[in-house]
Amino acid sequence: MEQERKDEGLEERVELSLLYDFYGALLKENQQRMFEASILEDYNFTEIAEEEGISRQGVYDAIKRATKQLRAYEEKLGLVAKFERQKKLVKLLKGDLQQLKVSEGGEHLGRVLDILDEILEE
């Protein structure tokens, strides 16, 4: 049970980090600082509150609002979902290309696979 909660917390952090990568620049500067400190750098609310000169509740509220905004941006724009879909398709394409047994154009196939690897690294 406790492990499930940890896994859910980790999954949420990964989700929020990805949303922040896509939409973080749309948040207010103070929300960006607090969100980064909490989600990306793993500071607790008390530490952030001391740094920002506000209450712990103020930090909690700002991060909650930022999270809600990021999810709203994704709901409207769908950039993260599109990115994930494209990444999945590129992996499928790479797998299919690796299965091909091409007598001619092996050099080109190798170059295509290298390009796909580069895309997947980003």
Side-chain angles (χ1 to χ4, degrees), residues 34 45-46 48-50 52-61:
M34 288 187 268
F45 293 161
T46 303
I48 299 167
E50 289 174 4
E52 293 291 324
I54 62 173
S55 69
R56 189 179 179 285
Q57 184 65 43
V59 172
Y60 173 82
D61 291 343

Side-chain angles (χ1 to χ4, degrees), residues 68-81:
K68 186 176 178 179
Q69 283 179 283
L70 293 173
R71 287 186 170 137
Y73 291 139
E74 175 59 16
E75 190 175 310
K76 290 176 184 168
L77 301 172
L79 297 178
V80 174

Side-chain angles (χ1 to χ4, degrees), residues 72-90:
Y73 291 139
E74 175 59 16
E75 190 175 310
K76 290 176 184 168
L77 301 172
L79 297 178
V80 174
K82 183 177 180 180
F83 170 77
E84 292 292 341
R85 211 171 28 257
Q86 288 173 342
K87 189 174 171 183
K88 182 180 176 184
L89 290 171
V90 168

Side-chain angles (χ1 to χ4, degrees), residues 28-44:
K28 293 177 184 174
E29 193 174 314
N30 66 328
Q31 285 179 311
Q32 288 178 16
R33 277 194 318 271
M34 288 187 268
F35 190 88
E36 286 177 11
S38 176
I39 303 300
L40 305 180
E41 299 170 15
D42 205 25
Y43 283 83
N44 65 42

